[in-house]
Amino acid sequence: MTTPAFNSNDDRLTAYALGELEGDLRAAFESELADSPALQQELAELQSLTGRLRSELAEEVEPALTSTQHQVLMTQAAKPVAVAIAPAITPRPTRHQSWVLLGPGIAAGLAIGVGYLSYPAPTMQTASLSDLDSYAASQPAGPFEEFNSLYKQQRFAEAEIIARELKASNPGDGTAEALFWKARFARRKGSNDKLQLDKEESYWNQLDDVEQGVVVSTGDPNPLTFSDNWSDISDRRKFPSGPNLSLYDAQEAKSNSGPVKTDSNGNGIPLPVALTKNKGMAGEEARQKRNYSLPQLTTTTGTQLMLEADESGPRKPNQLGFVAADLKRGQEAIKISESLKKRVSLHEDKLSLGDTIKKIQTAADINISFDFDGLKEANVSTTAPVTIDVDGIQAKSALNLILGRYDLAYTIDNEVLKITSRARQQSELADLQRQESENEAYEAPPENAFLTPMQQPLSTFSIDVDSASYSNVRRFLTQGQRPPADAVRVEEMVNYFSYNYPQPKDGEPFSVTADAAPCPWQPKNYLARIGLQARTIDKAKRPPTNLVFLLDVSGSMQAANKLPLVKQAMTMLCEELNERDRIAIVTYAGDAGVKLASTPGSDQTQIMQSIEALQAGGSTNGAAGINLAYEEALRHFNGEGENRVILCTDGDFNVGVSSDDQLVELIQQQAKTKVFLSIFGFGMGNLKDAKLEKLADKGNGHYGYIDDLKEARRVFNEELVGTLYTVAKDVKIQVEFNPLTVGAYRLIGYENRALAAKDFNDDTKDAGEIGAGHTVTALYEIAPKGQWPVTKEVDPLKYRANANEAAPVETAPKQNLSPESADDLFTVKLRYKQPTADVSVKTIDYVVDDIIGKKIVPSPDLVWAASVASFGMQLRHSQFKGNWTMNDVYEAAQGAKGADANGRRREFLDLVQAAKRLAPATK
Amino acid sequence: MSSSAITRAMMHESLVEPTHVPAETSEVIMETDRAATVAWLQAILKEYEGPLLRYAQRITKDLDLARDVVQETFLRVCRQDRAALDGHLARWLFRVCRNRALDVQRKEQRMSVATDLDLHTLPSSTGPTEQLELRETNSRLLLLLERLPSTQQEVIRLKFQNDMKYREIAEITGQSVSNVGFLLHTGLKRLRDLMKHDN
């Protein structure tokens, strides 16, 4: 018998030497051994090695626990403890089985990974051992095992960290890459799912709460008393068409469109407005409670609940108006709206309006009255002829048919159905909407007016990179409401978009572009533009960051578009952090507390767990939180990097220091520490827009408004570098207008950023910051000399020559003014400080020539900026909005949209359409 | 709202707590239990303290961290049902110790992926004196052992230092028995190659 060639890779040899071969295998190996001297030789060598290993390893030092630790152990052992049942130890699946295992519920992106995952699986029996050897040496078994085990336990965040480490240690390894994305997608999906589940859960809880709250036991000798409003709820719960069902459908529809979408909706609730206006404790509490637990139903959505489930299609304002009014008036209104569903049959030929209505009144059993003022407005009398021939239609449809013909509408008022003109009904709707948003606080200084260079040659203001106003306006418009005029800050809308300005030269923090073109909405005027482009920082080369999140976790933050959105935003940001960064989490709600002490950005597990654990509850003490956050930021102050406190709140500071001035003072104090501040507003209803903007302004920071997940991703992930890194601070712009060419000028927007002329050179005066990659645009409308004055606002001067005729002495052109300067329109200069400097730097002068008589074709970017500005001005009913309408905005913007890589301009066009559809607000 | 009521009911059901032993009886059990636990703990400390520490230190590369890990392992074992641990106590201890040590080590950012590079450099957390000690006490063979991938080192140590069976090693490290056999085989083969080369 020939001796089989001995294979030194045969691991049976080792197993045999170590006594692990048993039964037949052992017998077979022994017979092989007997035949092969080479194998015997191998065995002898191996045995000698194992012997040496055994003895030498046994001699290794055995450390001991400290005596304190012994004591602790003994004390603990002596304590009575609940004895747990030891888990059965079962070996984990083998590696080649488990690490190619694909868990259930894999995110879509995983399909990419599947190809990689068919990595050649190491098999123990084959001879491809050299491959395996190198594989085993380079691929630790541990991480894979761990990854799969974590993944199976749905601990995706931790699995992601393992995969990240694997990826880092095996650059270019497709498997590691695939595992990493697998975990990341799974985690994201998991968090989205969880959000949705939470929403559904809270929805049911909320219904239960109401149910338990409204069912009064009849057998109770001491029954609880409920305010009248509660019976409204009871009645509504008994709604025949099942308001709960339609309410649920509304939610379902929203949820189905993706968890992201739902966030953009508010926290309104389908309670009668009468209840929310009740200042009694029960009502107020119920309101708050429901606010939290029914996140995605806006008040608008809530009103839909009152409509029949079978109604579909876009709701016209008048229908909405009826319903909103209906909600407000509670019980009686419900009766009426019920009666409106009764079927009526009308066969009338040229019957008078009054008699027709009377017929409906009898048939449907509703009290109907005429608002004669309204009729007069609509130029209709009750004798107007009505011809109608319908059978078994709902009373309301009949009413709509009849009234629609005469431009009339109905509302429910004082327990009767009132027939009035459509315009009046619209204004009632507007009133109602105003009441809804009355809780939101906006504050705006009056709009900038035209100034003459004769009287005020200098225009000075601080830059503003905020874009909060745009997101906020978007929120209103997508909900079918016109934003309050004061919530519209034109400059923030213009600055939401980035423009194509040249990159700055080396060493300069930003570039400056200044030009002028004919003004689109006032063709005789010019539109001048000043554009700043901040230096971009490569995401990969960004400086280290020391971040402190200051989170409002007060009860009002519980809504899905608040704290849960904050948590998702934070998670997105943390994905971008690495070991050079630090992150801390401080919360405030009643008591301020450090939820996560400053932790390196690489410790993702810890960070993610801390974020996960955040919960809302309690009232707000913003001041204590602010102090604590700055302390935490200063403790780990990074001289080379960016130090920033990020405040996420709905702005409801209601405990402790709560006067705006005190808070501003506090922030101003803290801003001296060179820690920057970013403020992000979340949610709606409670948003204190003005307060937040002021705080960010004073705290060397910027203010953003996060209305949905998409915006969160933009700010916290895609544009993180711009969000976090300041390239220049206290950036001030001063423009000097030439009285020889300019009749009057008007700065569009920047009302709350105005500075006095002398503040320009005063380094103690705070101004705006500009972040990496940001663009800032400021627009001036200029009335050229001769086109001004268009209004006689100021009487001609008595002691000076009239501005239009000859210049007064003080502002007369200088003697040495060169001829070319005489043709200047204006000169721009800027001052800024380096992020850590205390002394400002002045830029060169940028001069823009007069464009009189020149054919200037405005660049698409300028047209875009002009469109956005005009849109903003129209929304805030500016007296300077000129002759442009929403249609003009749409057309101009459409033509200037450009490549629009991020889809933001497309979205703007949709907003313009939405604004166009809205009835002009009556004011 | 029948469906919500059902949801509620289901939730309540899952929250029902197990019935407890009457208080007096459990007190007695507890008393005898405590004394027994202390004695038992002393016994297992005597047997496993050193080996576990040595094992944990290999993973954490830091004695103090290893001490914490081992202390926690013993604390945990006190909370276990002793009867259920009978027969596989060593495996249980090593496995818990290992998992804990890996957790700690990951947290401490000393994750050494098993590349040969890492194994040449001793961690900075070990002071110079300790390093010297380690080197002196280690024989030539053990220094060569250090050059193997850590997965191979681990199984070799568990086998020869702690005298574990393949099956036990598999359970401790969470691998298949055949994988353990394979790792041991390649590890030893490599070690022999290294020795030949060394000479």
Side-chain angles (χ1 to χ4, degrees):
Chain A
M1 181 182 152
T2 48
T3 310
F6 167 67
N7 180 356
S8 71
N9 285 330
D10 187 345
D11 64 359
R12 285 181 305 157
L13 177 69
T14 310
Y16 178 76
L18 297 176
E20 296 272 351
L21 270 194
E22 273 159 16
D24 291 348
L25 284 172
R26 186 183 177 91
F29 186 76
E30 272 175 346
S31 77
E32 221 174 288
L33 184 68
D35 289 343
S36 163
L39 201 53
Q40 286 164 20
Q41 169 72 14
E42 282 277 329
L43 182 64
E45 274 180 32
L46 186 61
Q47 276 167 339
S48 127
L49 173 69
T50 58
R52 275 185 67 191
L53 273 173
R54 235 180 262 276
S55 64
E56 289 187 25
L57 280 171
E59 300 218 338
E60 264 193 334
V61 197
E62 278 192 358
L65 292 174
T66 62
S67 55
T68 333
Q69 283 180 312
H70 277 133
Q71 274 169 17
V72 171
L73 277 174
M74 287 307 156
T75 345
Q76 288 295 322
K79 275 191 188 167
V81 283
V83 172
I85 305 304
I89 301 180
T90 46
R92 297 187 193 183
T94 59
R95 182 209 300 174
H96 60 288
Q97 279 165 357
S98 73
W99 72 264
V100 292
L101 176 133
L102 291 168
I106 299 155
L110 270 184
I112 315 159
V114 174
Y116 293 113
L117 288 173
S118 57
Y119 208 90
T123 42
M124 299 307 131
Q125 282 76 27
T126 60
S128 64
L129 288 168
S130 58
D131 289 349
L132 186 51
D133 194 10
S134 63
Y135 173 75
S138 64
Q139 306 282 330
F144 284 118
E145 304 280 347
E146 197 135 12
F147 177 89
N148 282 313
S149 139
L150 287 170
Y151 194 92
K152 262 188 276 173
Q153 294 170 50
Q154 309 207 329
R155 287 153 72 184
F156 303 126
E158 290 157 77
E160 183 182 335
I161 290 153
I162 306 267
R164 183 200 292 261
E165 279 165 3
L166 251 179
K167 200 172 85 151
S169 55
N170 301 288
D173 181 356
T175 312
E177 189 81 21
L179 289 183
F180 173 72
W181 286 109
K182 171 179 175 174
R184 172 163 285 191
F185 285 140
R187 172 173 63 69
R188 285 185 180 162
K189 185 174 183 297
S191 87
N192 284 345
D193 287 351
K194 191 168 169 297
L195 195 68
Q196 191 162 347
L197 278 177
D198 287 351
K199 280 176 184 170
E200 278 168 20
E201 173 72 23
S202 72
Y203 168 73
W204 285 118
N205 285 343
Q206 181 261 335
L207 285 184
D208 282 356
D209 285 351
V210 175
E211 195 157 30
Q212 284 158 15
V214 296
V215 177
V216 185
S217 158
T218 45
D220 193 339
N222 298 311
L224 288 168
T225 48
F226 291 88
S227 74
D228 293 345
N229 297 317
W230 284 98
S231 61
D232 289 354
I233 307 172
S234 286
D235 286 343
R236 296 209 302 100
R237 302 274 293 163
K238 293 180 209 140
F239 225 63
S241 62
N244 308 315
L245 186 68
S246 59
L247 200 153
Y248 183 72
D249 287 343
Q251 187 201 23
E252 184 98 302
K254 299 247 176 239
S255 316
N256 287 344
S257 64
V260 182
K261 283 278 171 58
T262 55
D263 295 330
S264 64
N265 290 302
N267 55 359
I269 42 146
L271 270 184
V273 179
L275 176 57
T276 67
K277 296 187 82 175
N278 178 2
K279 296 299 175 213
M281 268 319 282
E284 197 61 15
E285 267 171 18
R287 184 178 71 85
Q288 287 187 1
K289 208 164 189 183
R290 300 190 59 152
N291 258 342
Y292 311 147
S293 48
L294 239 193
Q296 61 266 70
L297 289 166
T298 64
T299 318
T300 326
T301 318
T303 59
Q304 288 174 11
L305 141 92
M306 300 302 298
L307 294 163
E308 300 84 338
D310 58 356
E311 220 173 319
S312 59
R315 305 202 182 285
K316 290 178 199 128
N318 62 330
Q319 284 171 313
L320 200 67
F322 149 63
V323 170
D326 181 22
L327 271 184
K328 190 178 166 191
R329 275 112 191 166
Q331 205 170 5
E332 205 52 43
I334 291 162
K335 263 190 208 157
I336 297 179
S337 62
E338 270 303 284
S339 305
L340 276 173
K341 280 187 213 156
K342 288 188 186 155
R343 303 278 167 180
V344 293
S345 298
L346 295 167
H347 310 279
E348 314 300 342
D349 186 24
K350 294 202 176 117
L351 188 68
S352 78
L353 178 64
D355 290 342
T356 320
I357 296 296
K358 224 171 265 168
K359 282 203 171 181
I360 297 177
Q361 178 166 358
T362 325
D365 189 22
I366 313 169
N367 291 323
I368 301 182
S369 79
F370 282 99
D371 173 11
F372 290 100
D373 291 343
L375 289 188
K376 206 179 278 175
E377 254 177 48
N379 215 3
V380 185
S381 78
T382 48
T383 55
V386 172
T387 301
I388 188 164
D389 187 10
V390 290
D391 227 335
I393 65 165
Q394 290 191 356
K396 57 179 291 183
S397 312
L399 275 174
N400 280 333
L401 280 173
I402 297 163
L403 299 178
R405 219 166 288 163
Y406 292 106
D407 214 17
L408 296 173
Y410 60 88
T411 66
I412 295 173
D413 189 22
N414 293 327
E415 306 185 11
V416 296
L417 188 139
K418 190 174 75 184
I419 291 175
T420 183
S421 74
R422 183 157 297 179
R424 280 179 177 239
Q425 184 232 27
Q426 297 277 321
S427 85
E428 262 192 51
L429 160 68
D431 280 352
L432 216 85
Q433 280 180 345
R434 260 199 294 286
Q435 280 163 11
E436 261 167 35
S437 53
E438 72 188 355
N439 241 351
E440 302 192 12
Y442 299 100
E443 201 177 271
E447 214 177 2
N448 286 335
F450 273 98
L451 301 168
T452 63
M454 280 300 160
Q455 281 143 344
Q456 273 160 306
L458 293 174
S459 168
T460 314
F461 63 99
S462 151
I463 63 153
D464 182 2
V465 293
D466 298 349
S467 53
S469 181
Y470 183 84
S471 341
N472 201 14
V473 164
R474 177 175 59 200
R475 183 196 84 196
F476 276 105
L477 288 176
T478 48
Q479 285 171 11
Q481 284 182 47
R482 253 186 114 87
D486 288 349
V488 182
R489 287 188 290 273
V490 177
E491 76 280 11
E492 294 194 10
M493 301 194 61
V494 172
N495 282 331
Y496 183 83
F497 302 93
S498 48
Y499 301 94
N500 234 338
Y501 300 135
Q503 286 295 315
K505 293 192 204 98
D506 280 352
E508 287 179 2
F510 51 80
S511 74
V512 179
T513 307
D515 54 9
C519 178
W521 55 82
Q522 198 63 264
K524 287 174 182 165
N525 288 353
Y526 307 153
L527 189 67
R529 169 179 69 163
I530 299 163
L532 271 61
Q533 166 72 55
R535 178 162 44 90
T536 50
I537 295 179
D538 187 355
K539 219 174 184 177
K541 288 181 197 151
R542 65 183 174 84
T545 314
N546 169 28
L547 284 183
V548 179
F549 271 98
L550 176 56
L551 303 180
D552 182 350
V553 290
S554 61
S556 62
M557 286 292 283
Q558 213 164 329
N561 60 348
K562 294 184 180 176
L563 192 63
L565 188 57
V566 171
K567 285 159 86 168
Q568 290 209 322
M570 288 176 72
T571 312
M572 286 180 219
L573 182 141
C574 291
E575 280 171 12
E576 300 296 322
L577 297 183
N578 57 39
E579 70 281 351
R580 298 182 310 145
D581 305 311
R582 297 195 77 89
I583 178 169
I585 301 173
V586 176
T587 59
Y588 64 87
D591 288 323
V594 178
K595 284 281 139 67
L596 174 70
S598 193
T599 305
S602 48
D603 194 353
Q604 299 264 330
T605 325
Q606 181 93 33
I607 298 170
M608 297 295 178
Q609 278 168 0
S610 303
I611 295 176
E612 200 51 46
L614 292 168
Q615 280 181 344
S619 57
T620 318
N621 184 355
I626 290 172
N627 285 329
L628 207 56
Y630 274 94
E631 265 171 42
E632 194 66 24
L634 286 174
R635 196 167 296 145
H636 297 279
F637 192 86
N638 188 331
E640 258 126 58
E642 183 81 12
N643 300 278
R644 188 175 286 274
V645 170
I646 298 181
L647 169 59
C648 301
T649 180
D650 56 5
D652 205 10
F653 298 83
N654 55 15
V655 178
V657 185
S658 70
S659 96
D660 285 14
D661 292 342
Q662 271 174 296
L663 266 176
V664 166
E665 203 174 302
L666 181 72
I667 288 280
Q668 259 171 333
Q669 286 295 324
Q670 299 287 15
K672 291 186 185 137
T673 57
K674 305 211 164 152
V675 173
F676 289 97
L677 175 73
S678 292
I679 299 186
F680 292 102
F682 284 81
M684 69 172 282
N686 231 343
L687 182 66
K688 300 288 185 285
D689 187 63
K691 183 193 280 180
L692 296 183
E693 209 221 345
K694 201 190 276 179
L695 285 182
D697 192 20
K698 298 299 174 193
N700 270 345
H702 78 296
Y703 166 48
Y705 177 76
I706 310 290
D707 54 347
D708 60 11
L709 202 63
K710 205 167 74 190
E711 184 69 9
R713 183 168 293 284
R714 177 179 91 87
V715 172
F716 286 102
N717 197 282
E718 287 157 15
E719 295 183 0
L720 180 75
V721 176
T723 307
L724 294 185
Y725 301 102
T726 308
V727 298
K729 67 174 183 185
D730 291 349
V731 184
K732 303 167 189 172
I733 300 181
Q734 189 160 62
V735 186
E736 182 181 349
F737 289 93
N738 182 1
L740 294 177
T741 53
V742 175
Y745 64 88
R746 184 179 98 81
L747 176 58
I748 301 173
Y750 292 92
E751 276 86 5
N752 52 7
R753 302 282 164 153
L755 293 173
K758 62 179 167 38
D759 290 346
F760 184 66
N761 289 332
D762 184 349
D763 282 352
T764 64
K765 289 282 185 265
D766 188 60
E769 280 68 47
I770 186 166
H774 279 162
T775 57
V776 178
T777 303
L779 298 172
Y780 278 97
E781 185 178 340
I782 295 176
K785 187 110 182 157
Q787 291 298 326
W788 191 260
V790 285
T791 54
K792 299 265 184 199
E793 276 184 349
V794 184
D795 289 339
L797 298 173
K798 182 177 173 189
Y799 301 109
R800 282 187 200 166
N802 191 302
N804 273 330
E805 288 155 19
V809 183
E810 295 94 324
T811 48
K814 288 181 185 165
Q815 295 303 315
N816 56 355
L817 193 66
S818 64
E820 20 338 331
S821 287
D823 287 342
D824 290 354
L825 210 52
F826 59 88
T827 299
V828 187
K829 53 207 169 166
L830 289 96
R831 266 192 182 279
Y832 66 90
K833 292 177 192 159
Q834 295 289 354
T836 51
D838 290 320
V839 182
S840 68
V841 187
K842 192 172 155 185
T843 63
I844 54 160
D845 287 354
Y846 299 88
V847 179
V848 174
D849 292 338
D850 196 2
I851 55 169
I852 191 163
K854 290 181 196 162
K855 265 223 144 117
I856 304 271
V857 180
S859 68
D861 257 3
L862 180 55
V863 173
W864 183 267
S867 309
V868 179
S870 172
F871 181 60
M873 287 193 291
Q874 291 184 47
L875 284 179
R876 60 174 292 166
H877 315 293
S878 166
Q879 56 169 313
F880 305 107
K881 63 181 193 234
N883 56 17
W884 258 23
T885 62
M886 287 294 177
N887 281 330
D888 296 314
V889 170
Y890 189 84
E891 261 169 48
Q894 177 88 318
K897 188 157 72 85
D900 189 27
N902 48 28
R904 255 174 248 168
R905 295 189 172 195
R906 172 74 247 162
E907 186 191 67
F908 173 78
L909 290 171
D910 293 343
L911 288 189
V912 178
Q913 293 287 31
K916 225 167 73 180
R917 280 194 295 270
L918 284 177
T922 45
K923 203 170 182 179
Chain B
M1 292 293 81
S2 58
S3 50
S4 86
I6 291 167
T7 322
R8 291 243 139 190
M10 279 161 60
M11 282 161 63
H12 284 305
E13 201 173 357
S14 64
L15 287 175
V16 171
E17 292 184 18
T19 41
H20 285 288
V21 188
E24 312 87 63
T25 333
S26 71
E27 274 305 306
V28 180
I29 294 171
M30 282 299 177
E31 270 313 316
T32 48
D33 223 48
R34 280 179 228 173
T37 310
V38 173
W40 178 67
L41 180 65
Q42 271 167 339
I44 61 168
L45 266 177
K46 203 175 163 199
E47 193 177 348
Y48 293 108
E49 179 182 341
L52 282 177
L53 269 169
R54 205 161 47 181
Y55 182 55
Q57 197 186 354
R58 277 280 143 198
I59 302 172
T60 62
K61 312 233 166 74
D62 180 296
L63 182 55
D64 287 328
L65 287 178
R67 282 191 173 122
D68 287 348
V69 166
V70 173
Q71 183 188 20
E72 204 188 318
T73 309
F74 282 117
L75 279 176
R76 282 194 192 181
V77 82
C78 292
R79 282 179 231 131
Q80 298 299 320
D81 178 9
R82 289 211 297 280
L85 283 176
D86 206 30
H88 57 250
L89 176 65
R91 272 172 282 161
W92 191 94
L93 285 171
F94 272 87
R95 178 156 175 192
V96 169
C97 177
R98 180 182 195 267
N99 290 343
R100 190 66 201 126
L102 284 172
D103 284 350
V104 166
Q105 178 231 26
R106 206 171 301 117
K107 218 170 228 166
E108 289 293 312
Q109 294 307 310
R110 298 202 192 86
M111 182 76 182
S112 76
V113 181
T115 58
D116 288 12
L117 237 172
D118 283 333
L119 296 167
H120 287 299
T121 47
L122 275 166
S124 56
S125 62
T126 335
T129 344
E130 280 174 276
Q131 279 192 26
L132 203 66
E133 264 174 8
L134 260 174
R135 291 224 180 271
E136 275 174 1
T137 51
N138 276 356
S139 68
R140 192 68 218 158
L141 177 63
L142 295 195
L143 281 179
L144 291 176
L145 177 63
E146 298 274 315
R147 288 168 63 179
L148 296 189
S150 65
T151 45
Q152 294 178 6
Q153 278 190 58
E154 185 182 24
V155 292
I156 288 176
R157 281 175 188 280
L158 284 171
K159 177 73 215 168
F160 299 109
Q161 201 161 40
N162 305 106
D163 204 23
M164 299 279 184
K165 290 268 182 207
Y166 277 20
R167 192 169 47 83
E168 291 171 313
I169 297 174
E171 285 178 14
I172 291 166
T173 59
Q175 302 178 60
S176 69
V177 172
S178 57
N179 201 15
V180 168
F182 168 76
L183 280 174
L184 261 173
H185 177 74
T186 32
L188 291 175
K189 188 161 134 324
R190 223 173 159 175
L191 199 53
R192 272 158 64 202
D193 290 347
L194 284 173
M195 281 168 75
K196 273 177 204 150
H197 197 70
D198 198 47
N199 293 333

